[in-house]
Amino acid sequence: MQKIEQALAFVLGALLALMVVDVTWQILTRFLPMQPSSYTEEVARYLLVWIGILGGAYAFRKKSHLGIDLLTNALHGAMRKTVQIFVVLVCFAFSASAMVYGGAKLMLLTFELKQYSAALNIPMGYVYSVLPLSGLLICLFSLDQLVELVAAKQELPAEFDSGVHPYTEDSEVVEKQQQKQPEAAVEA
């Protein structure tokens, strides 16, 4: 799983570098020879789509997606584990149905209808292929998280350190943090 994550990070970095080169070329051709390149805007748009959707799969793997975890952080023990498993299953179901199935249907439909991009004249199915690819990655990462959750013998920690959370049950931790903050303000 680590190799897939590293490969995804490399691909995202390469796409981002390619987008920077593309946009730089677009700016240079617009101002230096006064003859803007016709394809660079479309390349930048499609690279941004790929980076955004593949980046979503990468963020899911790193557990960096925006999430409302107020309920999970308030729960402990078996109840927290149950809710975490339910959330992973919902993520799997969504990515499998909407991204893999729906994205594959969209991709195949654009190939069937022979839709081509305006400037590059490439089949739009290649652009849309990022949907099922990213959906497959999210499904794979969901299964990995599910195995980790089910195999865990002890309670897994929340996604962030509950010691710095304002609604923590451990009042001593909150009091210590509040005592440290005024001292830091006086020193500054």
Side-chain angles (χ1 to χ4, degrees):
M1 199 59 64
Q2 292 288 29
K3 291 188 181 208
I4 294 173
E5 181 183 330
Q6 290 172 348
L8 182 57
F10 177 78
V11 167
L12 285 169
L15 290 176
L16 185 61
L18 187 61
M19 190 166 106
V20 168
V21 169
D22 177 63
V23 172
T24 303
W25 179 252
Q26 181 181 24
I27 292 168
L28 289 175
T29 60
R30 185 181 302 156
F31 291 114
L32 292 180
M34 295 300 209
Q35 197 171 25
S37 180
S38 60
Y39 62 88
T40 53
E41 181 182 346
E42 195 170 274
V43 169
R45 186 179 321 129
Y46 296 151
L47 285 173
L48 185 63
V49 167
W50 271 69
I51 290 169
I53 296 175
L54 279 177
Y58 186 73
F60 182 81
R61 171 67 179 164
K62 291 290 195 178
K63 299 178 184 173
S64 299
H65 256 292
L66 177 64
I68 301 171
D69 51 5
L70 194 60
L71 175 65
T72 358
N73 292 327
L75 299 173
H76 295 286
M79 197 62 181
R80 175 187 278 177
K81 188 175 182 177
T82 304
V83 171
Q84 286 174 332
I85 289 172
F86 175 73
V87 168
V88 170
L89 288 173
V90 168
C91 290
F92 178 85
F94 174 79
S95 64
S97 62
M99 296 180 78
V100 176
Y101 179 73
K105 284 189 70 118
L106 176 66
M107 181 185 74
L108 293 174
L109 180 66
T110 56
F111 277 128
E112 184 180 312
L113 295 176
K114 297 181 180 163
Q115 288 183 331
Y116 290 91
S117 67
L120 296 172
N121 204 26
I122 60 169
M124 289 300 294
Y126 292 132
V127 177
Y128 294 139
S129 65
V130 72
L131 285 169
L133 174 64
S134 185
L136 284 172
L137 288 170
I138 292 174
C139 285
L140 187 64
F141 296 151
S142 295
L143 290 175
D144 186 53
Q145 286 182 16
L146 189 63
V147 167
E148 180 184 347
L149 282 168
V150 171
K153 292 188 178 19
Q154 58 187 3
E155 179 179 333
L156 293 175
E159 300 305 323
F160 64 93
D161 183 11
S162 62
V164 296
H165 192 270
Y167 304 114
T168 185
E169 294 176 10
D170 191 4
S171 60
E172 294 176 5
V173 173
V174 174
E175 289 175 14
K176 288 179 184 177
Q177 288 176 349
Q178 289 174 349
Q179 290 172 356
K180 289 181 183 179
Q181 288 175 352
E183 293 173 5
V186 172
E187 292 175 3

